[in-house]
Amino acid sequence: MGRSSVRGEGTRPRGRHDGPPGSRGAESAGGRGRRSGSAPAGEGPGRGRPDRRARRAPRNGRRRVLRWVATVLALLILGTGGAGYLYYKHLNGNIRKEDLTLGDKQMADHKANAAGQTPLNILLIGSDARDSEANQKLGGAKETFGGTPLADVQMLLHLSADRSNISVVSMPRDTMLKMPKCTDPESGKVYPASTVDVQTNESLGRGGPGCTVAAWYELTGITIDHFMMIDFAGVVSMADAIGGVPVCVDANVHSRGSDGKGSGLKLKEGTTSVKGKQALQWLRTRYGFEDNTDLGRTKAQHQYLNSMVRQLRKGTKLTDPGKLMNLAEAATSALTVDKGLDTVKKLYDLAEELKKAPTDRITMTTMPNVYGTGRFSGRVYPKAGEAEQVFRMIREDIPLDGKASKRKAPVVKDAAAPDDQIAVSVRNATGTDTMGPAQGRASAVKGLLTDAGFTKASVDSQNTDPAARTGLLYPSADLQGDAQAVAKALGIPVSQVQKSTGVSGIVLAVGADWREDGAYPAKAVDEKTPESANPLNGADEGACMHVNPNYTW
């Protein structure tokens, strides 16, 4: 299949909060990928012996099977229960598959907790592509059909290692960042790393969703296990199938300005159950909520998704087999996933993991941000310190809801070797976006190691890739104890010791947090989510969107 896909209103990848006349006026909530995929024909549980329980209770069995449908899109909105493999082979063929990452940097391995569990990170992407008749009918200027798609919705879903909680971090589409080098797997075209800041939603046009994953990894350092991308039609079908999703506004709202901008959403003050096209309008609304920016739209999306999860988990409206069969088709046809989620069975297994976290342990947040200046005044940047605080909490599996974590220090299965037998390669990774590497830092830290008895320490002058924070990497479990011994000798927190297949021995990367001489400036770990992240609990039924006074009726 070709790559023709579409974008919102306008011909340029604009994303300003208050764009000038002629910019895209339609807000978007999702999009489908560019090419189709297929699944092996013989996979699935249907090849084994028939289930006697299914024969005894076909009606109940069918309902259990049909309720799997709720799982597929619920994966995008924090997961619900479900079971079954309806039309297994056919539905597998509906799902589109692409490479997980198109970047040239290998993501670090997860660190297991004491129980041997590891977290799951899933990047949820909403493309504004309109590459089907159904999607085109739902909005967008005709002259833009066939344009390069934009990743206008980006949410990172983190399921804790102990499965006790879920954290979601949205990145506004107007976020400015450096784009990584990406290679299009279909054409082989190489998109070089950007030397200037680029709007994050443009990542999708640099080879596909795998480039969006690479951009997230380079900005946050968070290892991403899977991605899922969805289109407009899927959102509409899901809302219809569950009978509507309750949303709230604090005044009458009509998202339609005199200049024609807006989603068209029109609601009365209070709570309304929205479905179909009206649900899509809610998710796309920017003009009419808060300050008419993408930040307000993100908050509205969080409220909708939390409400949808509550509806799905009640399960009271998922009883019509006909609707659910239609939803199965729409849901799988709307999905583009990484190749690690290429079957219904894998999606189901993932949903089973996601549903373990209760609704009141789901936390929705937005990346802390600040507005740019000058020609970037309508865009946002990660807020220094506070954005990294949220990213670090995700990396270290710290719950964003502030509740006590069940995390324990990882078990070290091997004892450390004597200090003078531990080889350590020291890198100068102190460079930043605005400053070059601090001179002599690798040699200085090597000296500290030598004084501490690590006489096999050496300097790696060939690798100076920048790191915001000092860390120790080790390639295999038999070197974990040695790496932690090095960290202890230098006062580096054990949480900054990570396993990585990208190294062949113990590597100490001296980061930008240790540019000065002296002992490592370790800080007490802050386990509080910044207020600027606007955390919203999944069980909060009182959330209500503030309506912009210029869009009331």
Side-chain angles (χ1 to χ4, degrees), residues 33-298:
R34 305 177 316 288
R35 48 188 183 273
S36 62
S38 60
E43 291 185 18
R47 300 179 68 190
R49 293 186 301 174
D51 189 333
R52 294 185 201 174
R53 291 173 295 179
R55 292 201 304 267
R56 290 176 181 171
R59 192 168 299 173
N60 290 339
R62 184 172 67 168
R63 286 191 176 182
R64 290 184 69 245
V65 167
L66 291 174
R67 286 199 56 189
W68 166 82
V69 177
T71 295
V72 178
L73 286 185
L75 289 171
L76 293 175
I77 53 168
L78 312 182
T80 69
Y85 307 103
L86 177 68
Y87 299 143
Y88 185 79
K89 297 176 186 178
H90 171 69
L91 294 181
N92 279 350
N94 284 348
I95 302 170
R96 300 182 179 187
K97 306 97 179 174
E98 298 200 19
D99 293 339
L100 174 61
T101 179
L102 304 181
D104 58 355
K105 293 186 179 178
Q106 186 173 10
M107 290 186 280
D109 291 341
H110 284 302
K111 183 166 55 181
N113 64 12
Q117 302 164 316
T118 55
L120 274 172
N121 295 316
I122 307 162
L123 186 62
L124 312 178
I125 304 170
S127 164
D128 70 352
R130 294 175 179 85
D131 54 359
S132 70
E133 182 179 354
N135 282 326
Q136 291 169 3
K137 287 181 179 179
L138 292 171
K142 291 183 179 179
E143 64 269 18
T144 66
F145 290 175
T148 303
L150 301 173
D152 271 359
V153 177
Q154 299 176 34
M155 297 182 182
L156 182 72
L157 184 154
H158 171 83
L159 175 64
S160 65
D162 61 14
R163 306 307 189 245
S164 69
N165 65 91
I166 288 174
S167 299
V168 177
V169 181
S170 287
M171 183 184 295
R173 71 168 188 176
D174 301 334
T175 301
M176 304 299 290
L177 45 74
K178 295 289 192 303
M179 284 290 169
K181 174 184 176 182
C182 289
T183 302
D184 188 315
E186 185 176 88
S187 67
K189 180 177 179 179
V190 176
Y191 295 84
S194 66
T195 56
V196 297
D197 290 332
V198 178
Q199 193 164 303
T200 183
N201 62 354
E202 294 184 34
S203 59
L204 193 58
R206 295 167 60 88
C211 194
T212 306
V213 169
W216 267 80
Y217 181 66
E218 292 209 14
L219 176 68
T220 68
I222 298 170
T223 295
I224 296 173
D225 301 284
H226 300 291
F227 73 76
M228 302 181 73
M229 187 164 67
I230 192 169
D231 68 7
F232 293 152
V235 173
V236 171
S237 297
M238 186 66 172
D240 281 344
I242 67 174
V245 175
V247 296
C248 176
V249 289
D250 64 4
N252 294 348
V253 62
H254 187 197
S255 178
R256 182 69 72 198
S258 58
D259 56 3
K261 294 179 180 178
S263 69
L265 178 72
K266 189 173 184 179
L267 293 177
K268 291 183 178 181
E269 177 183 352
T271 299
T272 303
S273 182
V274 296
K275 61 181 180 178
K277 189 172 182 178
Q278 194 174 43
L280 180 62
Q281 288 175 332
W282 174 277
L283 293 168
R284 294 170 60 198
T285 295
R286 175 174 49 162
Y287 297 103
F289 288 156
E290 306 281 342
D291 59 353
N292 296 333
T293 71
D294 193 49
L295 301 179
R297 173 165 57 186
T298 298

Side-chain angles (χ1 to χ4, degrees), residues 367-369 381-392 530 532:
M367 178 195 76
N369 57 81
Y381 288 81
K383 187 174 184 179
E386 295 186 13
E388 170 57 23
Q389 168 71 357
V390 172
F391 299 152
R392 182 187 62 78
S532 58

